[in-house]
Structure formats: structure tokens, C-alpha cells
Amino acid sequence: MADHPDHGVHPDRVPNRSGTGSGTGAGDAPAAPGADRTTPPAPEWEQRFRAPRTSLPDWAEDAPHRNLFVSNATGIFELYTWDRTTGEQRQATSRPNGTTDGTLTPDGAWLWWFRDTDGDEFGTWVRQPFEGGADEPAVPGLAASYPGGLALGHDGTAVIGRSTEEDGSTVHVAAPGAEPVEIYRHRQTADVGDLSRDGTLVAIEHTEHGDAMHSALRVVRLDGTLVAELDDTAGGSEELSLSVMGFSPVEGDQRLLVGHQRRGRWEPMVWDPVGGGTTALPVELPGDVHAEWYPDASALLLVHSYRARSELWRLDLAAGELTRVETPPGTVSAATARPDGTVEYMWSSAAEPPQLLSTGGGVVLDPPGLTAPSSVPVTDVWVAGPGGEVHALVQRPAGEGPFPTVFEIHGGPTWHDSDAFAAQPAAWVDHGFAVVRVNYRGSTGYGRAWTDALKHRVGLIELEDVEAVRAWAVETGLADPARIVLTGGSWGGYLTLLGLGTRPELWTVGVAAVPVADYVAAYEDEMEALKALDRTLFGGSPEEVPERWEASSPLTYVDAVTAPLHITAGVNDPRCPIRQIDNYVARLRARDAVFEEYRYDAGHGSLVVEERIKQVGMEIDFARRMLERVNGSGAPAAGAPSAGAPSAGAPSAGAGGPA
């Protein structure tokens, strides 16, 4: 995004249905400043959602005391500025459905943020002074679009990536006081990666070869003329991806830090696009490694992710030496190297709420107020599956099994569950359910071959892995086979619907949030980057390979669904659009299937705390009532819904299920 995107190390991912592109981001995190924090008289599972949280602060490169973070201090995730010199913290945005995509200019004078409409992810960049003031169009000459990356220069130049159905992907350069000029255009997906420290080179990730899961890199000048290409796909014939991790932050140094998959996993290397050539780095770690520069470019800060956990390392570039940056066991979800040499990082585990810590000692942001209650730790399970060993994370409630068990399936699909704090699985555990989360084929963090394995038999491959873990859970006495809930959001919601239809005998209840339900209709209506991803996954469009799309669409199997089903849908969702859910629900209603549907007037993922609590409460209540109705097991509940009855309550501002 900015000239050091988010100033934090994050996994590089192909486009997915899990959330809203790039930005400062909001995850389960520690307390945020400046709000009334009287602890409400609520159960612990609700307190975990309400506990004030914040993202890792992003900082302005030339003014590192000026910071930007996301917080839910008001009950809605919004952007906040923070001056570390004065201690002043200011809420910068305030919208009914929240705001998370923002960045600071290198001098810290301006905050840029992306303004869409009720979570539809289609909009424009606006800006406001760091100290506060009216928002104004950041690039008046550009119409609304889906965001495709943003890089801000030290001289005020902005490089803006855009995506629309009409134009495909475009990149524009806006010099101070000048109209934006288009320097790149292609029908396939492309994103702005970064702008060099001297403001002369633009790095672009593109998929012109047609494989949306594996990007190539191009470096151009501000007028669009070519400087260099780096393409590990060999024109689309090799499934190897590259990613932009950032130009050197030092003046006069035009080296670009690049992520590559040449050894079967994500690793960093240094590319000199002007002088030519790449430099391999001495990183012998077994998992995926993502990196950012230290501010003086003498070293790299590495996040090493392996088997659902992560750790930090410092790589001295001159000496070629790796030094461990000590962090507790668990997951580092984001990290950044500060100019004083310290490292700030967001850490949590499944049992312990997130903390924003510094290697200099202490907590970076920890104001008084409601603290999220802890949960139970995860245990690791490895199960033999048809494509190799499948890793799953298990959380158990108190008592002896077999338990009513929730298979909570992550979104993405290129994502993974980790030993990190998450409020939703903890809520299921609080209600007496065991929770199993499966890192199926397609998940990141287990090597390139595992991530790429889901092509052509989309959805069906992932479910084979989920079903293998289900068999293990039943055989070992963890799960009661008559009380198993299949649930997930986004891609996890898609797998839920597909699983209920293809293997109805395995699942007692289904809970699908913001799912793909009718894959062909979803393709027709979804955002452009996802169309390209779907063509890659299926090996062609619905017209080119119709049999694959039919085999992988939940709508194909809707009449076989026997489990009671709860569906949550966002009216403005650009990733899992509403029309395709309408088609699926109409088929359920036509045969008087038992289901409930809840709709809300927003997009793909909730930024409103009370809305999330409402939706999670609905999902858990539905599962408990249906287990009682189906076999007299599970938690007691009054009443049962009629066939096709909507959930109680009108849709309210907010968004849908988990990412």
C-alpha cells in the first residue's frame, strides 16, 4: 500500500474471498484507547468480541512517531491516528459499517483511506490531515473501482491500482497537482506492489499469463516504460509465484525485496531490477518465510510460519547470520522493525488473547478496560488423507467425550487456521462443543504443492481432507457422529454447503456464512479479481469447462441436503454476491427444507461488534436447537423453526460470517 505496505510482515496471498484486500487490517488484538470500557454483564464469549482491540500500528517512514491503527473502541472497527511524541490518539473515520483500509503518507502529514459503500469494496481513496480535518478526494480524476494497491512517494506522488469490469486492471500515477496518468492496463489481475525510495520505479504484481494464483513481477518507470521483468511462471507454464515485499528504504538503493517459491515454499530474495540479477538469502527454515527491511536496510525481519505457528528472526545481510527474535509460543500475526532497532509484533495463542508487544520491553498499546477472557489451548492432530497428512487443530470443552463437535472450516481458500486467539471457536467451546479446524489442501503454510493442489476438482478436494479428519474424530471418541456441525464463512461457507449436499450422511447441522452457493451465478456477479482466480481454479470459465463448474457448485446438490441449515448473507457482498444465494435458497424453499436465513445490509465480513455477536449468537442457538430437534441431543432449546423461516430480527448494519 504505502511505500512500505502496512510496515508489517504478512503472508502473501492470491486473491480470495476472505476479506477486503490490503490495508492496516483488524484482527483479534489487544485493548484500544479512548473509550468507555465498563465491563458489560455478558457471558465470556460475548466479552471476547467486545474487548477493545487494535491492529499493529503502521508508521510514517519519515515521521515514525506518527502512527495509524485500527480499533473497535467504539464498537465498530475504525481508523485511528496516534502521535507517539504527544501521546494523542484520534479517531479518524466514523462510518456505520466501519473502515479498515488506510495508510499514512511518508511524511506523516496525511492519512489516506478507502471509502466504499456499506462494505461493497467499490469506491475511491480520500485523505485527511493527520491532525484532523475534512476528508477530500485524494485523486479527484479517478472514478470508483475495486482497489488494486496503493504506493505513496516521498515527493507526494501517488501510484494507484484499480480494477473494474470495464477496464480490467489499471495503474495510474498522480504527481502533486497533476491529473492522474494511466501507465498500465490489462484484462488479467494486476496490483501495485511498491514505489522505490527515490520515487522513480514502480513494482507491479501481474498475472498476464492467465494464472491468477501465481504472479509475475514487472518494474516500470513513472511513465510506464519497462525496466525489468521477473517471471518464475515461464509465461504461465510453471506454477511458481513471486510477490513484492518492498523496495529498500534507503535513499539511492533501488533493490527490491521479493518473495519466491523456487524451493517449494515462500522465501525472500533480493532483486536488483536496474543492475540485473537476484540474490538468494541464507534462510534454511522449514516453513514459509515472509520479510520486510529493517529501516537502515542492514537486515531483514522474518516471520517464519510453520505448522500453524510462527516465530520471528533477524537476518543480518552483511554477515548472512540468522538470529532468533524471542517471542512466546503461538502466532505472530504481524510484525514491524522500528527505526530504533526494536521490533513490535502482535502475538496470541488459541488460549491467550492478543498482545501488542515490543522487544524493547512491555506492551505497546494496553490501556485499561475490558480484557478478553482466555480460552482453551489447541492440540495438534495429523490425519492420513488422500493427498497426504492433514493437519487439524482441536479445542475440547470440559468433560469426557464424545462431544457435540463443530467442524469450523476456514475461508480463503488460500489461508490457514493457526494457534492464534479467535473469538468464534472459543464461543463454541464455551457452549460445550469440541471445535476442529482443518488445514485442508489449498491452505497456506504447508508448502506450495499443498496450496496448489485444489485445482479443477474445486471444493471436492478440500472436503476429502475434512472428511478424513471427521472419521478420525469419530473413531477416537472425540465427536459424537449424531451431533456434528459443519460450518464456515466465505470459502468455508462454500465448503459447508457443498459438504452438506455431497455427503449428507456425515453432517447433522450446517451453518454457512457468506457462502458461494450457486458457483456459476457467483462468477457472473463477483468482483473481477475473483473471476480470474476462479478461471485458474477450474481451468476455464463456466462456458469452457461446464462439467467442472457443475461438479463443484453447491446448487448441483441442493436437493440432497437433509441437515437443517442456517445461512447468513450480505446484501452488498462483492465476493459471494446475493443473487447466487437467492437461487440456492429458492431451491431449499421449494421443497420445504428446514433452514433459516439472515441478511444484513453490508458486505463480506463484519466490522460492527454487536452485529458479529448477534450473528454468532444466532448460529450457536440454531445449532443447539437443531441438534435437540434432530436427535434429542445437544443443548435444550425452546421451539423449532418452521421450514424456511427467516431468523428473528431485521437485518441491521454490519456484515457476515468469519473470514
Side-chain angles (χ1 to χ4, degrees):
M1 281 207 28
D3 81 337
H4 274 277
D6 194 17
H7 280 288
V9 185
H10 303 280
D12 296 283
R13 307 189 301 278
V14 299
N16 61 64
R17 289 181 166 80
S18 290
T20 56
S22 58
T24 305
D28 287 308
D36 179 13
R37 293 178 179 77
T38 302
T39 303
E44 286 192 346
W45 77 267
E46 293 186 14
Q47 293 179 38
R48 293 192 191 96
F49 283 96
R50 291 195 180 99
R53 288 167 278 173
T54 179
S55 68
L56 180 75
D58 182 15
W59 50 275
E61 187 173 359
D62 295 339
H65 63 288
R66 291 195 164 189
N67 288 233
L68 177 68
F69 61 89
V70 175
S71 173
N72 67 336
T74 64
I76 301 175
F77 284 100
E78 296 286 0
L79 294 169
Y80 289 74
T81 60
W82 175 26
D83 189 320
R84 295 197 186 203
T85 302
T86 65
E88 181 181 357
Q89 297 165 351
R90 178 181 66 86
Q91 182 178 342
T93 57
S94 179
R95 302 195 300 157
N97 290 306
T99 313
T100 61
D101 286 1
T103 192
L104 297 175
T105 54
D107 60 5
W110 293 89
L111 159 63
W112 284 49
W113 62 274
F114 190 76
R115 181 165 58 192
D116 65 353
T117 302
D118 291 328
D120 67 359
E121 303 179 45
F122 193 84
T124 59
W125 289 99
V126 297
R127 67 175 192 168
Q128 64 175 254
F130 181 87
E131 298 87 352
D135 292 312
E136 62 183 43
V139 191
L142 291 181
S145 69
Y146 296 109
L150 173 71
L152 302 179
H154 294 258
D155 65 350
T157 297
V159 183
I160 306 100
R162 303 171 66 253
S163 173
T164 65
E165 184 174 357
E166 297 77 17
D167 299 330
S169 298
T170 58
V171 175
H172 301 256
V173 172
E179 291 294 315
V181 176
E182 182 182 300
I183 66 167
Y184 178 91
R185 175 184 290 259
H186 201 277
R187 288 304 308 174
Q188 298 292 348
T189 304
D191 292 282
V192 173
D194 202 7
L195 178 64
S196 62
R197 177 66 175 79
D198 61 11
T200 63
L201 304 178
V202 179
I204 298 172
E205 296 182 9
H206 71 84
T207 59
E208 294 176 6
H209 47 268
D211 180 350
M213 292 184 70
H214 300 94
S215 296
L217 303 184
R218 177 174 300 155
V219 172
V220 300
R221 297 182 178 86
L222 292 185
D223 61 0
T225 57
L226 178 66
V227 175
E229 291 267 9
L230 194 62
D231 182 7
D232 281 4
T233 74
S237 62
E238 298 287 340
E239 293 185 336
L240 291 171
S241 194
L242 297 167
S243 66
V244 172
M245 293 181 173
F247 278 105
S248 166
V250 174
E251 188 70 46
D253 184 355
Q254 295 182 317
R255 293 177 300 164
L256 181 64
L257 187 62
V258 169
H260 70 92
Q261 298 178 309
R262 294 176 179 179
R263 298 200 300 172
R265 58 185 182 268
W266 280 109
E267 296 177 305
M269 66 181 178
V270 176
W271 179 32
D272 183 353
V274 176
T278 59
T279 303
L281 299 173
V283 179
E284 297 298 332
L285 298 170
D288 286 338
V289 177
H290 304 273
E292 74 161 30
W293 300 91
Y294 271 74
D296 62 1
S298 66
L300 301 179
L301 175 63
L302 310 180
V303 172
H304 174 228
S305 300
Y306 185 56
R307 296 189 169 186
R309 291 165 181 84
S310 52
E311 59 188 11
L312 296 178
W313 294 80
R314 183 184 188 275
L315 175 62
D316 185 293
L317 292 175
E321 294 179 352
L322 272 175
T323 305
R324 177 76 181 270
V325 179
E326 294 299 327
T327 60
T331 295
V332 175
S333 58
T336 185
R338 294 278 299 174
D340 62 2
T342 61
V343 174
E344 295 180 352
Y345 60 96
M346 187 71 72
W347 171 89
S348 73
S349 70
E352 297 301 323
Q355 299 178 63
L356 182 53
L357 304 173
S358 171
T359 57
V363 176
V364 178
L365 282 176
D366 188 27
L370 178 67
T371 300
S374 61
S375 186
V376 300
V378 294
T379 56
D380 296 87
V381 173
W382 293 86
V383 176
E389 279 199 313
V390 184
H391 188 199
L393 302 174
V394 178
Q395 289 172 283
R396 301 169 185 259
E400 297 294 327
F403 302 104
T405 300
V406 171
F407 275 73
E408 186 175 273
I409 311 303
H410 72 72
T414 51
W415 193 249
H416 69 272
D417 282 315
S418 61
D419 183 9
F421 197 76
Q424 184 146 333
W428 286 106
V429 174
D430 284 3
H431 285 82
F433 291 85
V435 176
V436 181
R437 292 179 287 165
V438 181
N439 284 330
Y440 52 77
R441 278 171 289 173
S443 302
T444 54
Y446 300 87
R448 178 182 62 83
W450 191 260
T451 302
D452 289 347
L454 55 79
K455 288 184 177 179
H456 300 174
R457 292 184 61 245
V458 178
L460 304 172
I461 286 175
E462 300 95 294
L463 286 171
E464 289 176 351
D465 295 340
V466 174
E467 291 161 9
V469 178
R470 181 201 179 277
W472 165 87
V474 172
E475 290 166 4
T476 59
L478 172 73
D480 179 349
R483 296 185 293 165
I484 300 184
V485 179
L486 183 61
T487 183
S490 191
W491 195 266
Y494 159 62
L495 293 178
T496 295
L497 297 184
L498 191 63
L500 295 181
T502 57
R503 295 294 302 277
E505 73 277 9
L506 298 182
W507 313 107
T508 318
V509 177
V511 177
V514 290
V516 177
D518 174 353
Y519 218 137
V520 174
Y523 175 82
E524 293 170 349
D525 295 349
E526 70 194 11
M527 57 202 304
E528 288 302 304
L530 288 177
K531 288 185 177 180
L533 173 61
D534 284 339
R535 289 192 298 270
T536 295
L537 290 174
F538 284 96
S541 69
E543 293 76 24
E544 294 167 329
V545 286
E547 70 286 351
R548 292 179 182 172
W549 289 78
E550 181 179 9
S552 294
S553 178
L555 188 67
T556 302
Y557 313 97
V558 62
D559 292 337
V561 173
T562 57
L565 174 61
H566 185 283
I567 297 176
T568 301
V571 175
N572 300 321
D573 191 344
R575 297 171 182 262
C576 299
I578 196 66
R579 180 173 69 93
Q580 51 98 26
I581 294 178
D582 289 340
N583 296 344
Y584 189 91
V585 167
R587 291 277 294 274
L588 291 174
R589 185 174 289 113
R591 64 181 183 87
D592 292 330
V594 177
F595 76 96
E596 294 179 2
E597 183 190 18
Y598 174 73
R599 298 188 177 203
Y600 55 89
D601 294 324
H604 191 76
S606 177
L607 300 177
V608 180
V609 172
E610 293 305 316
E611 175 68 16
R612 287 294 297 125
I613 291 172
K614 177 181 180 180
Q615 292 181 17
V616 172
M618 284 181 176
E619 293 169 357
I620 294 174
D621 177 67
F622 178 83
R624 299 177 77 194
R625 285 187 286 112
M626 293 301 101
L627 290 179
E628 176 70 13
R629 173 175 176 170
V630 168
N631 55 28
S633 302
S642 59
S647 297
S652 60

